Amino acid sequence: MARREDRFVVVGAGRVGTAVGHLLQQRGLRVTAVASRGEDSLQRAGGYISGALMTTDVVKAGKKGNVILITTPDDLIADTCLSLVSGGAVRRGAYVLHMSGALGLDVLAPAEEAGARTASVHPLQTFADVKGAVKRIPGSVFAVTARDEAAGEWAKELVRSLGGDPVTLAEKDKTLYHIGAVVASNLLVALEHAAELIYQEIGIYRETALKALMPLIEGTVSNLKRLGTEGALTGPVARGDIGVVRRHLECLEREERELLLRVYASLSLFALDLAEAEVSRTRCEELEELLRHYL
Ligand SMILES: NC(=O)c1ccc[n+]([C@@H]2O[C@H](COP(=O)([O-])OP(=O)(O)OC[C@H]3O[C@@H](n4cnc5c(N)ncnc54)[C@H](OP(=O)(O)O)[C@@H]3O)[C@@H](O)[C@H]2O)c1
């Protein structure tokens, strides 16, 4: 469990690192150093985290604490950990954590070999900026992956002190877990962009299109919250309206929108999975055959 005497070091003063440092301080914990690549992000972090050493020297920062949170981009976590260890910043008994959803603990192996406890704590949330991260970290579910039970319990306690809700995730399941997060969030944004592009073709441009679609998007999210995926699904597949689905597919084919045609057909198959309880078996089979034809 995070203790008052723990000294936290944040390496990577981006959206997540800055917000986590800020929230730790808000909860009365000590953030002694923040390291980042550029002065600009350190300066911004200074507006959220006070009294900490702000430096571009990762090792110097690491030496200031016994809990090191690596919040660089994922591709740099392994190298950053290695630099910290080879610079002598990771002592036996220290904690070294990262916050990536995609990576396992192997990227922290040098710290483990140096006698540190390692874990990853991934917020199942999307942060477009520091302000949003400060607001959304509390209340978010965090996937906690640790090498041993003691480190896991410690990391869960840390998550709770950030106001998060920790759940245990096995290292072997991280990639699929992260794919789920990407599908639910990033690809949802991509899907709305696809809708924007369709509207652009009929003369409704970006901001107007998104503004017009927003009540529909919000209505959908609200239905999902209240009714779950099965209850929230409406539209031609949910009604078993084969004629409409065929018309859509033929239109996309005529317009030579091949990528969208495949996306439409693939996602409609997932929709069909949800509609099976409501739509007759024969109709489902017909729909499936039609959709598979366009994959
Ligand atoms: N954003 C999200 O929605 C989200 C959600 C869940 C988990 N995460 C995870 O949180 C972690 C951080 O993501 P983020 O969104 O906060 O990224 P970010 O905003 O891009 O921040 C990364 C920071 O790392 C710094 N950095 C880059 N190279 C460095 C180096 N060699 N040494 C020290 N600092 C370095 C960058 O500094 P400069 O700005 O100075 O270049 C940047 O400020 C990642 O593991 C990510 O997977 C992110």
Side-chain angles (χ1 to χ4, degrees):
M1 154 167 169
R3 299 153 302 179
R4 299 264 159 214
E5 62 268 30
D6 280 330
R7 288 163 297 126
F8 288 84
V9 172
V10 176
V11 179
R15 289 162 282 200
V16 172
T18 305
V20 167
H22 176 78
L23 289 166
L24 288 171
Q25 277 199 336
Q26 268 196 343
R27 274 128 183 99
L29 295 164
R30 289 168 68 197
V31 180
T32 46
V34 177
S36 208
R37 189 174 43 183
E39 294 293 346
D40 286 356
S41 32
L42 284 172
Q43 207 173 345
R44 182 187 57 186
Y48 286 90
I49 302 164
S50 57
L53 167 73
M54 297 285 174
T55 175
T56 52
D57 186 333
V58 166
V59 172
K60 198 169 161 191
K63 285 182 174 169
K64 286 276 187 189
N66 67 318
V67 182
I68 303 178
L69 302 169
I70 303 179
T71 50
T72 61
D74 287 8
D75 283 351
L76 299 174
I77 294 173
D79 280 353
T80 305
C81 181
L82 194 57
S83 304
L84 285 160
V85 172
S86 39
V90 177
R91 281 174 229 118
R92 184 160 288 281
Y95 284 88
V96 179
L97 293 90
H98 73 69
M99 301 191 63
S100 160
L103 301 180
L105 300 176
D106 47 333
V107 289
L108 302 178
E112 211 178 321
E113 282 155 24
R117 288 197 157 134
T118 59
S120 72
V121 291
H122 175 255
L124 191 54
Q125 186 53 272
T126 173
F127 310 115
D129 53 26
V130 178
K131 209 170 149 198
V134 168
K135 191 169 160 212
R136 291 221 161 89
I137 285 176
S140 290
V141 166
F142 278 66
V144 174
T145 305
R147 192 61 83 207
D148 58 61
E149 212 181 314
E153 285 311 310
W154 186 91
K156 281 184 182 172
E157 218 26 69
L158 173 65
V159 167
R160 286 187 198 103
S161 35
L162 291 169
D165 179 12
V167 293
T168 302
L169 178 70
E171 193 171 11
K172 68 174 177 47
D173 295 332
K174 280 208 83 169
T175 306
L176 275 177
Y177 156 81
H178 195 239
I179 291 171
V182 167
V183 170
S185 171
N186 312 141
L187 297 191
L188 181 63
V189 175
L191 214 51
E192 300 311 335
H193 179 52
E196 276 179 343
L197 292 176
I198 295 170
Y199 279 12
Q200 197 166 301
E201 279 192 19
I202 51 169
I204 307 170
Y205 290 97
R206 241 185 213 183
E207 292 86 37
T208 320
L210 194 60
K211 207 169 158 197
L213 286 166
M214 203 45 81
L216 173 64
I217 299 167
E218 286 171 351
T220 309
V221 172
S222 155
N223 286 344
L224 274 170
K225 245 184 184 169
R226 270 188 324 119
L227 308 167
T229 46
E230 233 170 75
L233 185 73
T234 59
V237 172
R239 289 190 296 269
D241 268 338
I242 300 184
V244 177
V245 175
R246 181 175 290 113
R247 187 187 274 253
H248 288 173
L249 293 164
E250 286 172 357
C251 170
L252 289 170
E253 191 176 39
R254 215 172 32 249
E255 299 277 330
E256 296 181 353
R257 302 295 302 269
E258 270 177 45
L259 192 58
L260 193 54
L261 178 61
R262 279 202 293 269
V263 168
Y264 188 105
S266 321
L267 288 180
S268 296
L269 279 168
F270 283 100
L272 189 59
D273 197 35
L274 293 171
E276 270 170 356
E278 295 296 319
V279 178
S280 77
R281 196 152 152 209
T282 3
R283 204 146 264 252
C284 278
E285 283 168 4
E286 272 179 68
L287 262 169
E288 184 170 353
E289 198 185 335
L290 173 69
L291 292 166
R292 288 201 181 276
H293 174 73
Y294 287 95
L295 286 183

